[in-house]
Amino acid sequence: MTFVILQPCCNDASCVDVCPVDCIHPTPDEPGFMTSEMLHIDPDTCIDCGACVDECPVDAIRADHELEPEQERYLGINANYFQFHPMQSNGYNAVGSPFKGVDFTGRRIAVVGSGPAAFYAATELASIRGIEVEMYDRLLTPYGLVRAGVAPDHPGTKAVTDLFRAVGGKKSVRIHLGVEIGTEISHEELLEHHDAVIYATGASNDRRLGIPGEDLPGSHAAAEFVGWYNGHPDYADRSYDLTSERAVIVGNGNVALDIARVLLVSPAELENTDIADHALEALRGSKIREVVVLGRRGSAQAAYTNPELIGLMNAADIDIVLSADEAEPDATTLAALEAGTAEPSTALKVELAREIAAGASHGAEPNRKRIVLRFCVSPDEILGEESVTSVRLIHNELRTDESGTVKAERTSTEEMLDTGLILRSVGYHGSEIPGVPFDSGVGVIPNKEGRVIDNAGEPVSGTYATGWIKRGPTGVIGTNKKCAAETVRSLLEDIAADRLPRSRADRAELDLLLEKKAPDALDFPAWARIDKAEVSAGKDAGRPRVKFVGLDEMRLAAQPPSTDLS
């Protein structure tokens, strides 16, 4: 028997630490960790101890004899990884281990953000005796994209919040919700009241297409649409025209596939999730029966991960359609496949595309809802008078440049596609924080190993970054764990080397600042009351939770129970 890692894998790597025979790879210290779609268990080395099962935060590990038929493909995915990547030793150490002789007592660190990157940073910091952690988020709810970005029908992925909840409950960690850094409290004020600041603010803005018609009604950012159906308060009042039979998504990453599935899946299935009530009601009346997902390059370069596509292929009531011509890879990838030198994840992407094109995933019945995967096409113009009515597509030809990168070059071939809804899902972009260096071209805070640097490349004292605002919008939830560990290690090195002076303000002075600048902020116990109220409302409705989307109802739910005994 062996254990097998499945689709929900979040790359948290907690399982790596507990494996007694080092059979789970890539480890955080191996080059492929930050780019790997998932972790893998070597079936030849696994001793069936089950330690990884207990440790997995998202319930993504099963014994091989427990696999459902649609999961059996993962046996090959795990085994094939080790045929291409021979076993390597694991040298991953806890971030605090090199600093055991350093006194961190009273060191106060601000963490801006409360998504996975922020909580992984707080986890590392809280493991160091003496360090005080103060977390800040402009929203009244924590967990970032785990709450507002993960698809409602992927509840297993959201289970990682159990880890974060434990960190938020530590005595050395305080969480301040409803505090906007850069507006209510400045970067300079943070530095005055903390020894250092770690920015983990993510990348909440969408990238634009830069084509005519992009701002027509009916053309929207995917990030906003995701926020809308997940109950993000910034987007709860949005409305989307779902009366067209076809929607088009530009970009083919995991977010695009999530949106396509949410648009087409039966509302009866969504009724059992934590989808926002307003979105569920709108989707009940949706007329959309086809979603076309556009990718500018080929099947081998698709931005989605294989587990995400496999999950979509197993959807009961949705066909996936792909032409045989567009399923075929570029010449360079084809040569690598024939020579057996293609990366396993790339080879599997091509294999899955060919399988879909051959009709193996579903019968592609005319009357069923369907997702159409398109490759080597790019939008050139969005057309319509008062709202979107169609999009002009340009076909691309794939060429490999001198560095080996497959590029998409425009051809003269065009086609028109009728649609009333276009969602651009071509990536995310970070936002600038006043007083903090920012690279507007790539949307990140410039840094070296998490240390923020100025225009001259010199470190900005006491200022650090982690997560998407540090490296750009890449990786999955658990990727942020290694990213945060690197940043925290840099910060601890600076403290150990006396490069970070202590703040002159104590916690009492910080509390006075918060009371003055953000008197309505909520703490973690207040969030726990919101959480409890949502879960209670969900229980009454037969759902995991019913999300509050209005700030007033959140604040009402956050109030402590009345102690009036009169």
Side-chain angles (χ1 to χ4, degrees):
M1 187 183 84
T2 183
F3 284 93
V4 183
I5 297 180
L6 306 173
Q7 177 186 356
C9 177
C10 70
N11 279 32
D12 173 86
S14 297
C15 55
V16 171
D17 293 337
V18 300
C19 179
V21 293
D22 188 24
C23 73
I24 305 176
H25 292 261
T27 71
D29 284 327
E30 292 172 350
F33 178 80
M34 297 295 282
T35 56
S36 178
E37 293 185 343
M38 59 185 292
L39 302 181
H40 311 81
I41 295 176
D42 182 6
D44 294 333
T45 310
C46 177
I47 60 173
D48 313 332
C49 70
C52 57
V53 177
D54 296 333
E55 195 69 20
C56 179
V58 294
D59 194 26
I61 304 177
R62 293 283 187 278
D64 55 3
H65 65 275
E66 296 177 338
L67 298 180
E68 300 293 335
E70 64 270 17
Q71 296 173 328
E72 291 180 357
R73 188 191 296 268
Y74 286 92
L75 277 168
I77 292 174
N78 279 259
N80 290 342
Y81 176 85
F82 293 96
Q83 291 179 12
F84 196 85
H85 299 279
M87 290 278 289
Q88 301 179 44
S89 63
N90 178 14
Y92 182 58
N93 296 310
V95 68
S97 55
F99 306 101
K100 290 182 178 178
V102 181
D103 183 9
F104 293 101
T105 303
R107 288 291 192 168
R108 189 180 314 111
I109 311 301
V111 178
V112 182
S114 68
F119 265 102
Y120 280 125
T123 301
E124 298 284 4
L125 291 167
S127 69
I128 308 298
R129 183 182 297 274
I131 285 185
E132 302 170 357
V133 181
E134 306 281 347
M135 298 182 70
Y136 301 87
D137 199 299
R138 72 177 185 87
L139 297 179
L140 297 180
T141 56
Y143 308 141
L145 288 181
V146 178
R147 176 179 170 93
V150 173
D153 57 348
H154 280 4
T157 305
K158 300 183 182 187
V160 73
T161 58
D162 291 341
L163 295 177
F164 303 155
R165 187 180 299 111
V167 176
K170 287 181 176 290
K171 291 183 178 180
S172 61
V173 178
R174 299 199 307 178
I175 299 178
H176 311 280
L177 301 169
V179 181
E180 187 165 7
I181 303 303
T183 302
E184 294 171 310
I185 295 178
S186 69
H187 169 66
E188 291 75 17
E189 287 172 321
L190 273 189
L191 284 178
E192 288 174 7
H193 291 79
H194 303 80
D195 297 352
V197 180
I198 298 177
Y199 285 98
T201 50
S204 58
N205 295 327
D206 70 288
R207 294 185 181 276
R208 294 179 60 80
L209 300 174
I211 62 175
E214 185 173 9
D215 294 319
L216 276 170
S219 171
H220 307 275
E224 296 178 2
F225 188 76
V226 170
W228 171 75
Y229 66 62
N230 272 319
H232 193 298
D234 288 354
Y235 309 116
D237 61 350
R238 301 295 173 89
S239 62
Y240 297 90
D241 185 356
L242 306 179
T243 59
S244 172
E245 290 195 357
R246 176 188 291 137
V248 174
I249 303 175
V250 183
N252 60 10
N254 285 353
V255 172
L257 296 194
D258 280 345
I259 293 172
R261 188 181 64 256
V262 168
L263 282 170
L264 295 180
V265 73
S266 166
E269 291 187 38
L270 294 175
E271 287 172 356
N272 300 318
T273 73
D274 66 355
I275 190 171
D277 285 347
H278 57 258
L280 180 60
E281 186 62 29
L283 290 167
R284 283 195 181 105
S286 173
K287 303 298 183 183
I288 295 173
R289 302 194 59 80
E290 177 181 280
V291 178
V292 181
V293 180
L294 306 179
R296 64 185 178 86
R297 295 191 292 172
S299 59
Q301 295 82 34
Y304 54 71
T305 62
N306 286 311
E308 186 73 18
L309 183 60
I310 291 171
L312 191 61
M313 292 169 67
N314 291 326
D317 299 318
I318 302 173
D319 288 330
I320 309 178
V321 180
L322 171 60
S323 73
D325 288 344
E326 291 188 8
E328 286 305 300
D330 58 283
T332 301
T333 301
L334 184 60
L337 290 171
E338 293 174 347
T341 58
E343 177 73 32
S345 60
T346 300
L348 182 56
K349 281 185 177 178
V350 176
E351 177 186 331
L352 294 176
R354 288 170 170 172
E355 185 176 315
I356 292 170
S361 66
H362 283 302
E365 299 174 13
N367 295 327
R368 287 165 58 96
K369 293 181 180 180
R370 66 183 199 165
I371 294 172
V372 181
L373 297 181
R374 296 293 309 273
F375 294 107
C376 298
V377 290
S378 299
D380 186 57
E381 182 180 8
I382 298 171
L383 299 104
E385 293 293 331
E386 297 182 354
S387 63
V388 171
T389 57
S390 61
V391 57
R392 176 183 293 112
L393 304 181
I394 297 292
H395 288 216
N396 300 323
E397 185 174 310
L398 300 183
R399 299 185 184 277
T400 304
D401 64 16
E402 296 177 354
S403 67
T405 302
V406 176
K407 301 285 189 179
E409 296 185 359
R410 294 161 59 97
T411 69
S412 59
T413 304
E414 299 181 0
E415 68 173 286
M416 298 294 294
L417 199 60
D418 292 337
T419 181
L421 177 65
I422 292 179
L423 299 168
R424 57 181 182 272
S425 183
V426 291
Y428 294 90
H429 196 273
S431 299
E432 184 174 4
I433 298 154
V436 181
F438 186 70
D439 185 336
S440 59
V442 293
V444 301
I445 295 175
N447 68 92
K448 291 181 180 178
E449 296 181 334
R451 294 182 180 92
V452 175
I453 57 176
D454 59 21
N455 292 334
E458 295 298 319
V460 177
S461 179
T463 310
Y464 303 82
T466 189
W468 281 5
I469 198 66
K470 168 188 174 183
R471 68 181 191 273
T474 60
V476 293
I477 290 172
T479 310
N480 293 293
K481 187 175 184 179
K482 181 183 180 182
C483 183
E486 178 186 64
T487 295
V488 171
R489 186 173 289 111
S490 294
L491 188 156
L492 297 179
E493 287 174 354
D494 290 344
I495 292 178
D498 279 335
R499 289 191 287 262
L500 282 184
R502 289 180 178 270
S503 169
R504 296 180 180 178
D506 58 20
R507 256 187 171 173
E509 292 175 274
L510 171 61
D511 289 343
L512 288 174
L513 175 72
L514 289 169
E515 186 177 344
K516 177 182 178 181
K517 295 296 187 73
D520 297 325
L522 301 181
D523 58 14
F524 203 64
W527 153 246
R529 290 189 285 271
I530 296 174
D531 183 39
K532 183 179 180 180
E534 288 186 343
V535 172
S536 177
K539 185 176 182 180
D540 294 340
R543 301 171 61 187
R545 71 173 62 235
V546 173
K547 288 180 177 177
F548 297 129
V549 298
L551 300 183
D552 290 341
E553 59 182 349
M554 289 183 192
R555 291 192 179 280
L556 182 62
Q559 296 300 311
S562 174
T563 57
D564 185 4
L565 300 180
S566 62

